Amino acid sequence: MSLQPDTNAQVHAPFGAVRISEHVYWVGAIDWRLRDFHGYATERGTTYNAYLVMGEKITLIDAVKAPFRHELLARIASVVEPSKIDYIISNHAEMDHTGCLPEIIAATRPEKVFASPNGVKALREHFRMSLELTEVQDGMTLDLGGLHFTFVETRMLHWPDSMFTWLAEDRVLFSNDAFGMHLASSERFADEHPDWLLEHEAAKYYANILLPYSSLVLKLADKLRALDLPLAIIAPDHGPIWRDNYGKILDLYGRWAAGAPSRKAVVIYDTMWESTAMMAESLCEGLTGAGATVTLLPLAVTPRSNVATELLDAGALLVGSPTLNNGLFPTVADVLTYLKGLKRQRLVGAAFGSYGWSGEAVAQIIETLHAMKIEVFGDGVRVKYVPDADALTQCYALGAMVAERITQQKES
Ligand code: FEO
């Protein structure tokens, strides 16, 4: 559950801005308490980044989630009176970046609010009120008070309206959700965090938000290379800002988007009376014994978004479920529905589970894996009530078969 700040409070902390380049200040909000971002487990909270660009004219890039509008305004006010803002650029219409936009427009009365053509439509369809919005086209450059902003449409990364804005003078790419992560922290820059944390949280973000659009990520990389925009900083809308080490996140995106095969297997399961758990452990032994690396995730204690993260660099997905009321156990159905939407490519899979009398779950898992375009090994292993030694040997053998398949693939 997400705990939100008291939006009625009239007295606020003395929020400050952080200068990130000659003309640009970070003026976003830190959501230390967020633990669920529309179904994505955010164990480390998040930030909603917004940026103030101080030229002869003043431009705000993106806003924040509605309950944090006071924090945004206070951070802006630490640099300049908010009513001095001349322009707003909205790179992405999702509410975590626009929830307070109508109020910010009302408070600042900018000359113009810019968005992509799809962004203009999406903002109108969100707020259902009269908003003066100006479309900017892909590749267009605007001179706003002596500073030059170029707009790059990034459709379906991850919404139809998404775009990047590049500030030529400071060589800053404002990348909205791309290259971001859900990480609340007192540090604003990526190089102030350990590499393992950056890679983990960025991978989680990619796996849960951008993975279905990996082919577009590869095309965007080509587009950015062709545009040849000099970069000093990548400033996303969540998490830390990339400066000298921005090459790291570009490399990681290239690797994740390519989705190369790997010898890692992810085994997920839930269990009622430990039978399916015993089967899962035997599968793991078979996988490990035949040379795979294994991550075993009991779904009773594993958020769906953590499963997606583990699967990002995996070559196999093995799914176990008891049969409950002629169907899948609810946690298994939940995760499969979620993973199906994320469209992870190039996986092999298998199914297993115990049952009492009807035993439909294994066939239902296989049907879903086929729908996910996963290559499935055989009919899986079904066990009535409690597995005996022979059944556990079958599980071991299935694990070994999957391991042999994925270890023969070219390593990522
Ligand atoms: Fe961070 Fe797609 O919103």
Side-chain angles (χ1 to χ4, degrees):
M1 185 179 72
S2 166
L3 299 175
Q4 298 298 351
D6 176 5
T7 56
N8 295 318
Q10 296 302 307
V11 177
H12 303 286
F15 296 113
V18 177
R19 193 170 194 170
I20 68 165
S21 66
E22 183 182 351
H23 299 95
V24 182
Y25 292 80
W26 173 86
V27 290
I30 306 173
D31 191 346
W32 295 98
R33 290 179 283 185
L34 186 79
R35 290 296 177 270
D36 186 314
F37 186 93
H38 57 47
Y40 174 143
T42 48
E43 293 98 341
R44 294 186 172 91
T46 195
T47 66
Y48 313 109
N49 297 338
Y51 300 95
L52 192 67
V53 186
M54 301 293 294
E56 291 163 24
K57 297 278 192 172
I58 299 172
T59 302
L60 175 67
I61 299 186
D62 292 328
V64 300
K65 198 171 169 181
F68 294 85
R69 60 191 177 279
H70 300 296
E71 185 170 339
L72 171 65
L73 285 168
R75 293 195 196 276
I76 294 169
S78 74
V79 181
V80 67
E81 168 57 39
S83 63
K84 304 279 189 205
I85 288 174
D86 298 288
Y87 306 109
I88 296 175
I89 296 169
S90 175
N91 278 324
H92 177 30
E94 196 164 6
M95 299 286 253
D96 49 331
H97 310 296
T98 61
C100 66
L101 190 58
E103 288 167 281
I104 298 299
I105 292 172
T108 60
R109 299 185 177 279
E111 282 177 37
K112 289 197 170 174
V113 179
F114 300 106
S116 69
N118 283 331
V120 167
K121 283 185 207 145
L123 289 170
R124 293 204 169 114
E125 287 161 355
H126 273 78
F127 296 109
R128 305 292 179 191
M129 61 173 66
S130 170
L131 291 173
E132 286 287 323
L133 303 169
T134 303
E135 290 183 3
V136 290
Q137 305 298 325
D138 186 31
M140 174 191 277
T141 297
L142 288 180
D143 178 339
L144 300 178
L147 298 178
H148 296 81
F149 298 81
T150 298
F151 307 103
V152 181
E153 278 196 26
T154 61
R155 288 187 196 191
M156 296 317 300
L157 290 173
H158 68 119
W159 274 21
D161 57 271
S162 302
M163 71 173 186
F164 291 176
T165 296
W166 178 66
L167 173 62
E169 284 72 13
D170 292 20
R171 295 182 293 147
V172 179
L173 184 68
F174 301 97
S175 61
N176 78 73
D177 284 330
F179 311 125
M181 66 188 78
H182 288 311
L183 175 61
S185 66
S186 53
E187 294 74 29
R188 296 278 63 80
F189 295 99
D191 50 58
E192 298 173 298
H193 295 278
D195 280 351
W196 69 263
L197 179 60
L198 297 172
E199 184 159 349
H200 174 77
E201 292 299 339
K204 185 169 184 178
Y205 197 87
Y206 189 96
N208 285 278
I209 304 289
L210 295 165
L211 182 63
Y213 313 110
S214 286
S215 61
L216 297 177
V217 171
L218 295 172
K219 284 182 184 158
L220 176 64
D222 291 342
K223 183 174 177 177
L224 289 175
R225 267 191 288 276
L227 287 170
D228 197 21
L229 307 174
L231 286 184
I233 287 176
I234 295 178
D237 274 359
H238 297 289
I241 296 158
W242 303 89
R243 44 186 179 185
D244 293 342
N245 61 345
Y246 67 79
K248 177 181 177 63
I249 190 67
L250 296 178
D251 289 347
L252 287 170
Y253 267 49
R255 192 174 95 201
W256 295 327
S262 103
R263 62 204 296 258
K264 172 181 169 184
V266 174
V267 181
I268 60 174
Y269 74 96
D270 212 332
T271 194
M272 292 171 70
W273 297 106
E274 299 302 319
S275 293
T276 305
M278 290 166 66
M279 298 173 76
E281 286 163 8
S282 296
L283 275 158
C284 287
E285 289 300 308
L287 285 158
T288 309
T293 58
V294 180
T295 300
L296 177 65
L297 301 171
L299 296 181
V301 292
T302 307
R304 65 180 82 82
S305 49
N306 292 11
V307 176
T309 309
E310 287 293 341
L311 207 53
L312 181 61
D313 63 351
L317 172 66
L318 298 91
V319 184
S321 176
T323 295
L324 178 66
N325 299 328
N326 306 107
L328 297 174
F329 200 75
T331 51
V332 179
D334 176 308
V335 166
L336 287 178
T337 299
Y338 188 71
L339 294 179
K340 188 176 170 192
L342 292 174
K343 300 184 176 67
R344 176 72 169 82
Q345 305 287 309
R346 301 172 70 181
L347 286 173
V348 297
F352 60 96
S354 79
Y355 67 99
W357 48 96
S358 58
E360 292 91 339
V362 168
Q364 291 178 11
I365 293 169
I366 290 172
E367 187 182 343
T368 306
L369 294 179
H370 281 311
M372 293 164 70
K373 300 189 174 18
I374 290 176
E375 179 193 342
V376 181
F377 277 79
D379 298 326
V381 181
R382 293 164 77 237
V383 169
K384 192 165 186 186
Y385 290 123
V386 177
D388 59 12
D390 183 52
L392 295 179
T393 301
Q394 284 181 54
C395 291
Y396 186 98
L398 180 60
M401 200 185 313
V402 172
E404 279 160 20
R405 176 76 166 75
I406 61 175
T407 54
Q408 284 166 10
Q409 298 175 130
K410 191 171 181 298
E411 270 284 0
S412 60

